[in-house]
Amino acid sequence: MKRVAVRVLTSLIVMLLTLPAWGGDKEKDQETVKNATTVLQDMLSSKAVPADLLAKADCVIVLPSVKKFGLGVGGSGGRGPISCRSGKNFEGKWSAPAMLTVGGVSAGLQVGGSSSDFVLLVMTEKAVNTILDQKTKLGTDATAAAGPSGATTGSPVGGDVLTYGRAKGLFAGVSLGGASLEADNDANKRTYGKPITVRDIVRGNAVKTPAGQHELITLLDNKAGKHRVE
């Protein structure tokens, strides 16, 4: 009986930790995008991600406050916006944001109540299509590599997705191999008032950026408005 009680208590704790990260309402969706904007601004201000790499990215994913569950349960949970460049060849402005969820993250996470922030630069059209069309496991469905830091990079960098993490205020390139990304359909429906796919949001030009989420897109347009091609 004691063992069963421990399992039930553990399951309840996991549910309580998960609900703030994934569930929610429209205000929480906007708060997630606002927090993502702050994370990205900090990344750019600290030059943790080279400006030339950000300019070459086809899409950007920002995952603020990803939590790892403790008590021997394992696992992790969080969500955040993705924005992609418009145009057939990703030569246009940044799209309205769509929400993704993430699970299976281990790099950079502290067990318990603390959390980490992650920034992912999607560098290839292949990776964009994979992420937009299906649940994607990094390292399997799309290659992921720890992103280099510094003001610029002088040599080509491998990997479909370049990943950066911040824990306890420090940014660093981290590998997120094994983490899974998928659409947060409930959040996207709340935000845009109808069922809509991530692809239609970020590549189909089907919706405009909603009120309360313009800061993220303005930041991307200001800091990496022109797409650089090798």
Side-chain angles (χ1 to χ4, degrees):
M1 288 295 293
K2 184 177 180 181
R3 185 175 296 178
V4 172
V6 170
R7 289 179 178 176
V8 171
L9 178 60
T10 300
S11 299
L12 288 173
I13 292 173
V14 170
M15 290 174 63
L16 290 172
L17 286 171
T18 305
L19 286 172
W22 288 332
D25 52 30
K26 201 166 184 178
E27 289 184 1
K28 289 183 179 179
D29 298 336
Q30 292 184 352
E31 183 179 359
T32 297
V33 176
K34 182 178 179 180
N35 291 340
T37 304
T38 299
V39 170
L40 184 58
Q41 179 66 71
D42 290 347
M43 176 191 71
L44 293 169
S45 298
S46 65
K47 295 183 172 59
V49 169
D52 60 338
L53 284 183
L54 184 60
K56 294 173 184 176
D58 293 337
C59 302
V60 174
I61 303 168
V62 187
L63 304 167
S65 302
V66 177
K67 296 184 183 297
K68 183 170 184 177
F69 308 137
L71 301 177
V73 178
S76 58
R79 62 179 188 156
I82 176 174
S83 177
C84 298
R85 295 182 186 274
S86 60
K88 181 179 179 181
N89 298 313
F90 300 94
E91 74 279 4
K93 290 183 175 294
W94 293 93
S95 71
M99 197 73 76
L100 300 177
T101 63
V102 63
V105 179
S106 59
L109 289 175
Q110 305 296 318
V111 175
S114 59
S115 60
S116 297
D117 307 314
F118 296 95
V119 175
L120 286 64
L121 305 184
V122 187
M123 308 301 292
T124 67
E125 185 174 0
K126 170 192 169 186
V128 172
N129 289 330
T130 299
I131 292 170
L132 299 189
D133 291 339
Q134 65 186 48
K135 181 177 181 178
T136 302
K137 188 171 184 178
L138 297 178
T140 301
D141 301 317
T143 61
S149 297
T152 59
T153 56
S155 58
V157 179
D160 294 323
V161 181
L162 301 180
T163 60
Y164 296 83
R166 179 175 70 172
K168 296 183 178 180
L170 298 176
F171 266 114
V174 295
S175 175
L176 291 183
S180 295
L181 297 167
E182 63 180 321
D184 187 339
N185 292 319
D186 290 339
N188 292 327
K189 181 178 179 180
R190 284 193 299 268
T191 297
Y192 296 104
K194 59 183 179 181
I196 188 169
T197 66
V198 173
R199 175 175 289 279
D200 283 343
I201 295 169
V202 301
R203 294 293 291 152
N205 197 30
V207 292
K208 295 183 179 180
T209 302
Q213 300 188 17
H214 285 280
E215 288 185 5
L216 175 62
I217 308 308
T218 299
L219 176 63
L220 286 168
D221 283 334
N222 288 341
K223 299 296 184 179
K226 187 174 181 180
H227 194 201
R228 289 189 56 183
V229 181
E230 292 284 0

